Amino acid sequence: MPNQNKIIYLDYSATTPVDPGVANIIDEHLRNSYGNASSIHAVGRISKVILEESREIIAKSIGAETSEIFFTSGGTESDNQALIGTAFAERESTSRNHIILSAIEHHAVLDCAEYLKELGFKITHLPVDTRGMVKMEDIERAITTETFLISVMHANNETGMIQPIRQISDIVKQHNIIIHSDVVQTYGKILVNADELMVDLLSLSAHKIYGPKGIGAIYIRKGTKIDALIHGGAQERKNRAGTENVPLIAGFAKAVELSNIHRESMFQNAVIFKQRVIDGITSKFKGILVNGDVPSSLPHILNVSLDSKFYDIEGESLLLNLDLNNVAVSSGSACTSGSIQPSHVLLAMGRDERTTKATVRFSFGRMTTMDEIESTIRIFCTIVEKFKR
C-alpha cells in the first residue's frame, strides 16, 4: 500500500480532506452538543441554536433567507428532492409533466429523471456543443406547454465547464418553469448567489469544500412547490424528516466560512496549476486533448484525453499507472469511476469511445503545491510515452 504521506492528491473534485478547523468543530459538538434539536429542554435548545446559526451562515453564503435552506445528507439527496419533489408536487396541482435537463448532468439527476420517466413523466436531454456547453436555442426549442422543470448544473464535475445559468433562467422564467441547478462543484470555489442566478432550487454539499461527508443542503426559493422526499417527522419544517445531525451541520457551516476566506487565493492558484499542467504535457506530446474550454471552465478542474489515433491504451490503465506512482486522480465522476463505461459527458461532447476511456481528470485544491504539479507532469509524461502508437 502506498505511503499516504507521499501521495500527490489531485482528486479534489471527488472529495476534499476535512479542514482541521472543521474537524475540531465537529469533535466539539460530538462531545458537547448531544441534544436533539427538536427537544424543548435546555440541552435540546443548545443544539437548536447551533443548527439555526449554521443555517444562517449557509443561507448568507448564497444570498438566501434562512427559511430557504434545508439540510440533507448531501448533493445526491438534494438533487433527488429537486427533481422528484418538484415532479410529485406538480402532478398534484397541474397536468404539466415535462422535464428538461442537460445531457451532461450528474447521475444523481440523470437517474432521477429515468425513474420519473418510468412514472409517466416526459424527459428531454439537451445536447451540448464540443466544449460541453448547453445552447440557448436548444432550450427554447425544447420548451413546451407541459414543461415545468429544467435542471442544468452550474459547472460540470468532469470538465469544469460553467453553464450560463442566468441566461437559461431568463428564458425559462418567461414560461413559468422552475429551474434547478446543482452547484456542488462551484460552491466555495466561485461566488454562487441564488438571486443573481435567478434559480428556484440549488443543491449543495459539504465534502467538496473541506467539510464532512454525509451532509448537504437544498435551497428552495420561497413559494416553490416541492414535496418532501423523506417522511417521518416535522424536522426541517416538515421538508426533511429525521433528527438533524448537528455536529456535521456545524462542520458544514465552518467549512463555508473557511471557503469564503480561501476562495480567491485558491482560485488564483488553480489558474496557475491548470495552465502549467496543460503546457507541461501538450508541449511534449501530440494528441493530448483538453476537454472543455479553458476560459469558460473552473480552473480547479482539468480534463484531458489521449487521442486514440496517437495512443493505444485500455480503460483504466493510465489511472492505475498514475496510482502506482502515488498520483491520485480520476477519470471523471467519483460516482462512476469504478465503471468501465465511457464518460457520458465526453461522449455528449463528441469524443469517440476509445479516446473517452483514456481520460484523466486532474482537480486542484487548497493543499496543492507547485512541486506536486511538476512531479505530476514528469510522471504523467513518462507513463504516456509507453502508450504511444
Side-chain angles (χ1 to χ4, degrees), residues 185-206:
Q185 289 297 337
T186 51
Y187 186 52
K189 299 183 181 74
I190 61 176
L191 286 173
V192 174
N193 184 281
D195 284 337
E196 289 179 6
L197 294 175
M198 218 163 70
V199 294
D200 302 297
L201 303 164
L202 289 174
S203 299
L204 313 173
S205 179

Side-chain angles (χ1 to χ4, degrees), residues 29 37 42 68 76 119 125 154 182 190 217 238 240 278 320 355:
H29 290 303
E68 296 173 315
T76 295
L119 298 181
H125 295 84
H154 195 195
D182 182 326
I190 61 176
K238 296 185 178 181
R240 204 274 189 180
I278 292 173
L320 290 173
T355 297

Side-chain angles (χ1 to χ4, degrees), residues 236-269:
E236 297 300 288
R237 300 182 301 285
K238 296 185 178 181
N239 187 68
R240 204 274 189 180
T243 302
E244 293 96 344
N245 192 329
V246 172
L248 292 193
I249 289 170
F252 186 6
K254 184 64 176 180
V256 170
E257 290 182 321
L258 292 172
S259 291
N260 290 336
I261 295 171
H262 295 291
R263 182 176 57 243
E264 186 59 34
S265 61
M266 191 174 76
F267 185 95
Q268 296 301 329
N269 287 338

